[in-house]
Amino acid sequence: MKNKAILFISFLSALTFNGLAQNAGIKKADKQYAKYAYIDATQTYERVANKGYKSADMFQKLGNAYYFNADLTKAAKWYGELFAMNTEVEPEYYYRYAQSLKGIGDYKKADEMMRQFNQKAGEDLRGKIFKDKQYYMDEITANSGRYKIEDAGINSKYSDYGSAFSGNMLVFASSRDTGSLAQKKHKWTNQYFTGLYSAEQSTDGALGLADKYAKQINSKFHESTPVFSKDGKTMYFTRNNFNNGTKGKDANRVTLLKIYKATLKDGVWQNVTELPFNSDSYSAAHPMLSPDEKTLYFASDMPGTKGQSDLWKVAITGEDSYGTPENLGSINTEGKETFPLVTDENELYFASDGHPGLGGLDIFMSRMNADGSLQEPINIGAPANSPQDDFAYLIDTKTRKGFLSSNREGGMGYDDIYKFVETRKLVCEQTLSGIVTDLETGEILPNTKVTLFDEKFNKIKEVVSDDKGFYDFGTVECGKVYYVRAEKDPYETKEQRLTISKQTGKTDLPIQLEKKVKPVTVGDDLAKAFGIKIIYFDLDKWNIRPDAALELEKILDVMKQYPNMKIDVRSHTDSRQTHKYNEKLSDRRAKSTIAWLIKNGVDESRLTGKGYGETKLVNRCADGVQCSEDEHQANRRSEFIITAL
């Protein structure tokens, strides 16, 4: 049965066992202004860098500061320093450096940077389906085991398939013989032509006895795959090219498939009309309404079709008027794509034998983007899919219960309807949001522009934080790498990299922005303005290392800007070693720090200092307390307390 024709483009193939076919500024008062010194961190970083100090992080910040402000000349300078360090940088910096180089007319070097960018970022580019999907079985395995499936309880020894919800009824196609002796049979299969049947569905999901549905709709040929409007008064369905007693044929005298519409009046289905985009020369079948009922999806081999049958859509522009059918594009293959279903979760389910699957027709799902474009199809896995034909997927997104059709082994007839419960959603869903605040004060920052980029720094979405500082990007893809950039004057632009969890849930990304101009006053720790927690010394040493000198340059730069500023240097240790040892060691380190500042131009009268050893721990890690290395490290710190301005 696996090899039988499935779209059923022609009348003959329509009559196979499957019947018709598988479906943020700073607030400050004037009276406070004189009490503060305002430090431009970017300028300090630049002056420090111009003295020859090197730091990849510092060069990145400087390059970004000018790049984001479109000063490409300075951006090129600092990105150039970054690359001259020969450190590993993210691919995006190759792109930014290239753009900055173009800004100064260095196209040759810019082109080289772009070539390297493409080499480093090109691994994620997709090729053809076969190349992309050479490990498709791994995907199917990962997606499997999400359904509990069983016989729907309405099957016969004939073909039963293609179901639709209509109120508390399940309507489907069947070729069972419940008709008169004059009921016509197809000579290939010796089965009766399919007609519409229905079964009542109880609150627990059980189906009652099947009976003929809308007898006035059923003809002596095939009817199948109905779909109903929400008010239950309009039905679209598939039928052979036959209406009002007249059978239509193509040039080869073959009767094809068409989509019809009927209306319910006084409890009777009537006014059966074919849709205007039908033709005697091609088939159109398996209609499906979008949730807003403004678009009709269907399968067809009409001109413009890529394969044996493609999925199409057409706008419903009025009661009996329609737009021009549009091919759904990228999801269609040279094979068969058929039996569409569009859910209220912006998902398109369909059956295909053109995408890698388990065999025959497999059921796939493609997410629908806001602009109507479709994402790469995903095989929904076993046991929803089998080595045979699996199609006509139908789901209630609220209960996660539904039906599908299949001719898999173990069924009652040629095609059977199976009911299922989806125990885990196919696509992991994560939402990304957070609150933007001031790093120092914790004050919420409304009206902050927050932008979401993918891992290649393609802009995805831009939002503005509300009056509570809250921003929300909505749904993002699980397991993906994103970059979030927050911008608000007079704060430093901040960019964060994050990887979304692979489990459905919510990602909370708080953003703390640091002011470009940093207010400090008497009693403040100047080190905090630059995030200086530790001035590192070698074991049992107190000489200033190069990396410590980089941090001290920031303090030195500020003291040169404010000649009346006085600083008390306070050095601390953790509790490991004796109290006396730690007191002497920290005192030597405080004096060494003071000596460095004096040597580099700070008047001795502006500096005081002392070592406090382990007497002023910032946490619980006293003698005898077991602590982690990070906890001990928090106590090994240097403070630069402002004593005068």
Side-chain angles (χ1 to χ4, degrees):
M1 264 212 274
K2 181 176 168 183
N3 295 322
K4 63 181 185 287
I6 304 280
L7 175 66
F8 323 38
I9 293 305
S10 70
F11 177 67
L12 294 177
S13 60
L15 304 182
T16 58
F17 295 154
N18 282 336
L20 290 170
Q22 316 188 341
N23 314 290
I26 298 173
K27 293 182 179 179
K28 57 182 182 288
D30 290 339
K31 63 180 181 179
Q32 294 177 318
Y33 185 85
K35 297 180 181 179
Y36 292 90
Y38 293 89
I39 305 164
D40 188 318
T42 301
Q43 292 182 15
T44 290
Y45 292 144
E46 190 164 7
R47 284 189 289 264
V48 169
N50 283 330
K51 287 188 174 184
Y53 290 92
K54 299 181 183 296
S55 162
D57 178 69
M58 181 170 63
F59 291 149
Q60 285 182 359
K61 288 179 177 178
L62 283 168
N64 288 342
Y66 291 116
Y67 184 85
F68 295 148
N69 288 285
D71 188 339
L72 299 182
T73 299
K74 290 185 178 179
K77 173 184 176 181
W78 296 117
Y79 285 145
E81 292 290 343
L82 172 63
F83 280 86
M85 292 185 70
N86 293 316
T87 59
E88 187 70 27
V89 298
E90 295 169 356
E92 173 61 10
Y93 285 95
Y94 287 84
Y95 176 81
R96 293 181 187 174
Y97 189 25
Q99 299 304 102
S100 301
L101 288 166
K102 290 179 182 179
I104 61 175
D106 193 346
Y107 291 99
K108 183 177 180 180
K109 191 169 184 179
D111 290 343
E112 176 57 26
M113 287 297 107
M114 282 303 300
R115 280 191 286 271
Q116 293 189 52
F117 171 74
N118 289 332
Q119 291 174 3
K120 294 178 179 294
E123 295 179 2
D124 297 321
L125 295 178
R126 299 183 182 274
K128 294 181 179 179
I129 292 178
F130 178 78
K131 183 178 180 181
D132 257 6
K133 293 289 187 178
Q134 55 182 313
Y135 302 113
Y136 69 91
M137 285 301 298
D138 292 341
E139 177 187 282
I140 294 176
T141 299
N143 294 338
S144 294
R146 302 180 304 104
Y147 290 93
K148 293 181 179 179
I149 294 182
E150 59 181 301
D151 186 284
I154 53 171
N155 291 306
S156 68
K157 63 180 180 179
Y158 299 98
S159 186
D160 304 285
Y161 69 95
S163 54
F165 294 123
S166 179
N168 66 339
M169 307 293 291
L170 186 76
V171 184
F172 60 98
S174 178
S175 62
R176 67 188 66 194
D177 177 20
T178 60
S180 66
L181 294 175
Q183 186 77 14
K184 295 174 70 67
K185 288 186 177 181
H186 180 234
K187 62 183 181 181
W188 284 8
T189 65
N190 201 35
Q191 290 198 60
Y192 296 104
F193 287 90
T194 58
L196 299 183
Y197 287 75
S198 66
E200 187 174 356
Q201 189 172 18
S202 64
T203 55
D204 64 359
L207 294 172
L209 295 176
D211 198 3
K212 280 196 170 182
Y213 181 79
K215 296 179 181 179
Q216 62 275 23
I217 294 295
N218 288 321
S219 70
K220 60 182 180 180
F221 295 109
H222 282 292
E223 282 82 27
S224 75
T225 56
V227 63
F228 299 86
S229 59
K230 293 176 182 177
D231 63 9
K233 296 181 179 180
T234 301
M235 171 173 61
Y236 296 89
F237 63 98
T238 306
R239 176 193 278 174
N240 288 126
N241 186 356
F242 177 81
N243 200 26
N244 296 322
T246 301
K247 181 169 65 173
K249 299 180 180 180
D250 68 2
N252 297 316
R253 300 186 59 78
V254 176
T255 299
L256 304 178
L257 305 176
K258 290 188 175 183
I259 299 174
Y260 295 83
K261 175 185 176 183
T263 55
L264 185 66
K265 186 176 181 180
D266 298 328
V268 177
W269 288 104
Q270 52 189 279
N271 191 28
V272 177
T273 58
E274 66 170 275
L275 301 192
F277 52 82
N278 283 321
S279 171
D280 291 345
S281 302
Y282 56 78
S283 285
H286 317 314
M288 177 56 59
L289 284 167
S290 62
D292 62 6
E293 301 186 354
K294 295 181 179 180
T295 305
L296 189 73
Y297 292 80
F298 61 96
S300 179
D301 64 336
M302 64 174 56
T305 296
K306 181 186 297 184
Q308 297 177 48
S309 67
D310 282 6
L311 295 181
W312 295 75
K313 67 178 179 179
V314 64
I316 301 174
T317 57
E319 186 174 344
D320 289 303
S321 60
Y322 304 83
T324 301
E326 298 176 43
N327 190 290
L328 293 192
S330 61
I331 67 169
N332 290 315
T333 70
E334 290 76 13
K336 294 185 290 287
E337 279 71 46
T338 186
F339 290 95
L341 171 73
V342 180
T343 74
D344 55 4
E345 297 180 326
N346 295 319
E347 296 174 335
L348 169 67
Y349 288 87
F350 63 97
S352 172
D353 63 3
H355 294 276
L358 292 176
L361 287 173
D362 270 28
I363 300 167
F364 294 81
M365 189 277 286
S366 178
R367 298 297 297 268
M368 304 181 74
N369 299 315
D371 62 358
S373 61
L374 292 163
Q375 297 181 14
E376 181 184 4
I378 305 171
N379 189 300
I380 69 171
N385 286 322
S386 71
Q388 281 73 47
D389 291 322
D390 308 286
F391 56 100
Y393 184 90
L394 179 69
I395 189 171
D396 181 330
T397 58
K398 304 300 184 295
T399 65
R400 310 313 297 180
K401 295 180 179 180
F403 299 88
L404 60 82
S405 302
S406 178
N407 68 341
R408 64 187 61 194
E409 297 294 330
M412 291 184 62
Y414 293 98
D415 295 306
D416 290 302
I417 298 174
Y418 294 83
K419 63 181 180 179
F420 65 76
V421 177
E422 186 184 41
T423 60
R424 173 172 56 88
K425 296 193 69 172
L426 173 61
V427 177
C428 170
E429 292 185 340
Q430 275 274 341
T431 58
L432 174 58
S433 60
I435 296 177
V436 188
T437 59
D438 184 295
L439 175 64
E440 294 295 327
T441 67
E443 174 189 1
I444 62 171
L445 299 178
N447 301 316
T448 303
K449 183 172 77 173
V450 190
T451 310
L452 181 68
F453 299 88
D454 64 16
E455 60 184 328
K456 297 181 183 178
F457 282 86
N458 295 310
K459 181 178 177 180
I460 298 174
K461 192 173 184 179
E462 180 181 300
V463 298
V464 176
S465 62
D466 63 17
D467 58 353
K468 296 181 180 179
F470 180 75
Y471 72 91
D472 188 358
F473 286 124
T475 302
V476 294
E477 292 188 53
C478 297
K480 296 292 185 180
V481 173
Y482 291 94
Y483 290 85
V484 176
R485 184 185 300 165
E487 302 169 78
K488 183 179 177 64
D489 189 62
Y491 290 84
E492 297 279 3
T493 295
K494 184 172 184 177
E495 194 171 81
Q496 296 177 242
R497 181 182 188 274
L498 76 156
T499 302
I500 303 299
S501 169
K502 293 184 178 180
Q503 301 295 323
T504 293
K506 179 179 179 180
T507 298
D508 178 43
L509 181 67
I511 301 175
Q512 297 177 309
L513 295 184
E514 188 175 6
K515 292 174 180 174
K516 294 179 182 178
V517 178
K518 304 172 184 294
V520 292
T521 189
V522 173
D524 286 348
D525 183 355
L526 191 57
K528 288 183 178 179
F530 294 98
I532 300 173
K533 294 182 179 180
I534 302 171
I535 298 297
Y536 286 102
F537 296 87
D538 290 329
L539 180 64
D540 204 29
K541 303 293 183 182
W542 49 90
N543 58 292
I544 304 298
R545 296 183 351 184
D547 56 344
L550 172 62
E551 304 302 325
L552 289 177
E553 277 286 354
K554 301 170 188 177
I555 304 300
L556 179 63
D557 183 85
V558 174
M559 295 192 74
K560 287 183 177 180
Q561 291 181 63
Y562 297 92
N564 294 323
M565 180 183 286
K566 294 184 179 181
I567 295 293
D568 185 41
V569 180
R570 303 174 183 178
S571 295
H572 306 269
T573 69
D574 59 36
S575 62
R576 296 178 294 184
Q577 267 295 349
T578 66
H579 179 90
K580 185 176 181 179
Y581 178 89
N582 286 332
E583 183 177 9
K584 289 182 178 180
L585 180 60
S586 63
D587 194 58
R588 286 194 293 267
R589 290 177 172 174
K591 290 177 179 178
S592 178
T593 300
I594 292 172
W596 189 93
L597 291 169
I598 293 172
K599 179 182 177 181
N600 285 275
V602 179
D603 191 274
E604 183 178 359
S605 64
R606 299 173 61 194
L607 299 167
T608 57
K610 179 182 177 181
Y612 291 83
E614 58 183 275
T615 62
K616 294 185 179 294
L617 301 175
V618 297
N619 53 32
R620 63 185 181 88
C621 301
D623 291 336
V625 177
Q626 188 172 0
C627 291
S628 68
E629 182 57 36
D630 286 343
E631 289 176 308
H632 282 303
Q633 182 173 289
N635 291 310
R636 300 196 306 270
R637 66 198 189 280
S638 292
E639 301 170 331
F640 299 83
I641 307 302
I642 300 172
T643 59
L645 270 175

